[in-house]
Amino acid sequence: MRKLLLTFVLTGLAFISLQAQGTEELDLEKAVIIGLERNYGVKIAANNVAIAERDIKIGTGTFFMPTVTGNFTNSFNREDVKQQFANSPEPNEVPGARTETENYSVVGFYGFRPETVYSIRILGKLAEISDLDAKVLVENTVAAISSTYFRLVLELQRYNVLKTTLDLSQSRLDIAKARYELGGAGRRDFLTAQVDYNADLSLLVNQELVIKNARVNLNQLLALTPDREFAVKDTILVDKNLLLEDLLENAYLNNKQFLITQRQENVAFLALRETQAQRLPQLNLNASYIKNTFSSQAGILLLNQRQGYNYGLTASLNVFNGFTLNRRIQNARVQKLNAELAVQDLEIQMVSDIQRAYNTYNTNIRLLDIEYSNYKTAIENADIALERFRLGISDYLQFRDAQVNLLTAENRLLTALYNIKEMEIELMRLSGRIYFQDSFQKFHLGLQ
């Protein structure tokens, strides 16, 4: 896709770096990679994906695998026993009689409920939703980093604009001072030039604060310390060939929030089927191996030992439960309808968001050509005004007016360019393409 390369090394503008020599350079791609690797929200989302994938395995084991339980019991008793038998007139006394019971058992159980088939499929859809949620967070993070990165570039360029304006004010101040000292002009012109210079200097100092805060914002998204210094590039690449039809087509296929809503509709459908399946019979298989030994020094039964297997099959059917299942099925149908309506609602919202962003994008492309032409005119006008002021042909008001017009034209040009880039980022996010471009494809969510 053809790119429009617009640099701000324009006539009268030179990029003045605010970075110290040797500061690490940071381009957008590097910023995004750092952000995805270090951002804590992305790490949490990756861990949630891993949990959702394990839930599928847990559900499979719970619903489809039998359970086997081993038990062992060994108990001892020591008692004084006195017994009276019907066939003996004398009682039988056994002091300190010991009794021991040993019991071994291995029990296996397998129960099959028809609704569990749908339960597993629901877990699969929930895992897909978790993965898509993570990708939504990744895309939002990429969009936020991109927007913040270019905001920093914009503020640096605005600094250059204000620096150029201050240079013009310095030239005017020097001329006014020279005229005043030579007696060619009054002190009022000199003081007015000094006031305007101080006003421009104040704007420049405030812009330095804006740049510092913009750096802090970028470092926050990259999970770096606020004082981390980077030298960003002074170039903004904008794509002037985005087509609404392509964006909408990609959005239907790749917009993660739209895909999540579709998966939620699938979950509601499966939940209805799961509830309806509870009308079907349930089968339970059970088997066990038991070995039991009982020994006693008192009583008629001195030793009792049993061992063997037992197994069985149980089939159960829900005949009547107070219409509770019917009401649950009715609720599941309503939830399915709500999920379908949510898909339609999000579709309208998605298309509307893309249309609004595209309208802004298109308008700023048109404004860019206008503002660039106006900017060149303002430069020429400022040069002429400065020369006329130097020759004494025009007064300071005419020069200041040309200077303010140049500042306004430069700011409007920068704003139009930044707005195009910002809307381009938003359109890429809405169409689901921002995460899968270029080297960003190399990034994969992983357990942290």
Side-chain angles (χ1 to χ4, degrees):
M1 189 175 292
R2 188 171 62 88
K3 298 285 186 177
L4 173 65
L5 175 60
L6 182 60
T7 65
F8 285 98
V9 187
L10 302 174
T11 307
L13 281 178
F15 185 78
I16 303 174
S17 175
L18 299 181
Q19 309 294 323
Q21 292 295 327
T23 302
E24 181 181 0
E25 288 191 1
L26 181 71
D27 57 19
L28 177 61
E29 180 177 335
K30 185 176 180 181
V32 169
I33 295 301
I34 292 174
L36 294 181
E37 289 177 349
R38 296 180 57 88
N39 187 277
Y40 296 111
V42 174
K43 293 181 180 181
I44 292 172
N47 292 338
N48 290 336
V49 171
I51 291 173
E53 291 174 350
R54 291 194 188 101
D55 284 341
I56 298 177
K57 298 178 181 179
I58 293 173
T60 302
T62 302
F63 296 138
F64 292 109
M65 299 296 289
T67 59
V68 179
T69 305
N71 299 296
F72 170 71
T73 304
N74 194 357
S75 62
F76 301 89
N77 292 316
R78 186 180 180 89
E79 304 168 315
D80 294 330
V81 179
K82 183 177 181 180
Q83 300 171 326
Q84 182 70 53
F85 297 102
N87 59 356
S88 174
E90 298 295 329
N92 181 34
E93 295 185 6
V94 183
R98 294 188 299 272
T99 302
E100 181 179 356
T101 303
E102 286 187 354
N103 183 36
Y104 301 88
S105 66
V106 179
V107 180
F109 176 83
Y110 178 73
F112 176 74
R113 302 191 307 272
E115 66 269 21
T116 56
V117 175
Y118 297 103
S119 300
I120 292 297
R121 294 178 63 185
I122 288 175
L123 288 175
K125 293 299 177 182
L126 292 177
E128 292 180 18
I129 290 174
S130 179
D131 182 66
L132 289 170
D133 277 331
K135 289 182 178 179
V136 167
L137 180 60
V138 167
E139 290 182 344
N140 290 341
T141 302
V142 172
I145 291 173
S146 302
S147 181
T148 306
Y149 178 90
F150 287 115
R151 168 61 70 175
L152 176 57
V153 174
L154 172 67
E155 300 303 340
L156 288 171
Q157 294 296 348
R158 282 178 172 167
Y159 179 90
N160 295 335
V161 169
L162 293 173
K163 184 65 171 61
T164 302
T165 302
L166 186 65
D167 291 341
L168 291 175
S169 295
Q170 181 67 61
S171 298
R172 173 191 162 196
L173 179 61
D174 293 341
I175 295 172
K177 182 179 179 182
R179 287 181 180 177
Y180 171 67
E181 291 175 348
L182 294 175
R187 182 174 176 78
R188 179 174 176 274
D189 289 350
F190 168 67
L191 294 177
T192 302
Q194 183 69 60
V195 169
D196 289 339
Y197 175 84
N198 291 338
D200 293 339
L201 181 59
S202 177
L203 291 175
L204 191 67
V205 172
N206 284 326
Q207 186 62 23
E208 291 176 358
L209 174 61
V210 172
I211 291 172
K212 289 178 181 178
N213 288 336
R215 290 189 184 280
V216 172
N217 294 338
L218 180 59
N219 286 331
Q220 179 181 354
L221 290 173
L222 302 184
L224 299 173
T225 57
D227 58 348
R228 184 71 175 268
E229 289 285 343
F230 288 106
V232 299
K233 294 186 175 180
D234 62 330
T235 302
I236 298 180
L237 295 172
V238 294
D239 187 353
K240 297 182 68 177
N241 297 313
L242 295 180
L243 299 177
L244 181 61
E245 295 77 11
D246 293 340
L247 294 168
L248 291 173
E249 181 180 353
N250 277 279
Y252 279 105
L253 297 175
N254 298 316
N255 183 287
K256 307 305 180 297
Q257 198 61 56
F258 185 63
L259 295 178
I260 287 174
T261 310
Q262 290 179 326
R263 299 299 188 277
Q264 291 171 340
E265 181 185 12
N266 295 338
V267 169
F269 172 79
L270 293 172
L272 173 61
R273 291 290 181 264
E274 179 186 36
T275 308
Q276 291 173 333
Q278 294 179 18
R279 296 186 183 278
L280 300 176
Q282 176 179 331
L283 297 177
N284 294 321
L285 300 174
N286 58 80
S288 63
Y289 169 77
I290 298 175
K291 181 179 180 181
N292 181 272
T293 302
F294 172 81
S295 62
S296 175
Q297 293 181 335
I300 298 175
L301 187 63
L302 300 180
L303 178 66
N304 183 27
Q305 189 174 65
R306 296 183 303 165
Q307 70 179 52
Y309 302 90
N310 64 70
Y311 50 89
L313 170 66
T314 302
S316 60
L317 178 66
N318 181 13
V319 178
F320 179 75
N321 63 349
F323 302 109
T324 301
L325 183 58
N326 288 344
R327 295 188 181 96
R328 290 178 59 194
I329 291 174
Q330 291 171 357
N331 286 341
R333 286 198 178 101
V334 175
Q335 290 172 348
K336 177 178 176 294
L337 177 60
N338 286 341
E340 293 172 355
L341 295 175
V343 172
Q344 297 172 18
D345 180 60
L346 187 64
E347 179 182 359
I348 294 175
Q349 178 183 336
M350 177 183 70
V351 173
S352 299
D353 288 343
I354 292 176
Q355 183 66 66
R356 280 190 290 267
Y358 190 77
N359 290 343
T360 305
Y361 165 82
N362 240 357
T363 299
N364 279 279
I365 286 179
R366 294 172 57 191
L367 288 175
L368 182 64
D369 294 334
I370 296 173
E371 298 300 345
Y372 183 63
S373 176
N374 185 55
Y375 166 74
K376 292 191 295 184
T377 302
I379 286 180
E380 183 178 357
N381 185 43
D383 290 340
I384 294 174
L386 178 61
E387 186 63 26
R388 288 172 60 85
F389 182 74
R390 182 180 290 111
L391 297 175
I393 300 176
S394 64
D395 58 19
Y396 71 90
L397 291 176
Q398 293 174 321
F399 174 76
R400 184 63 177 175
D401 184 60
Q403 184 183 15
V404 171
N405 287 339
L406 176 60
L407 175 63
T408 303
E410 290 169 335
N411 275 323
R412 288 191 345 212
L413 175 61
L414 290 171
T415 300
L417 183 65
Y418 175 75
N419 287 342
I420 293 174
K421 192 61 184 180
E422 192 172 40
M423 287 303 102
E424 179 188 331
I425 293 170
E426 179 66 4
L427 288 170
M428 291 297 100
R429 186 188 69 83
L430 290 172
S431 62
R433 294 165 55 188
I434 192 169
Y435 171 64
F436 295 98
Q437 292 187 88
D438 303 329
S439 62
F440 302 154
Q441 292 181 352
K442 300 175 184 178
F443 176 79
H444 298 285
L445 286 170
L447 185 63
Q448 301 296 326

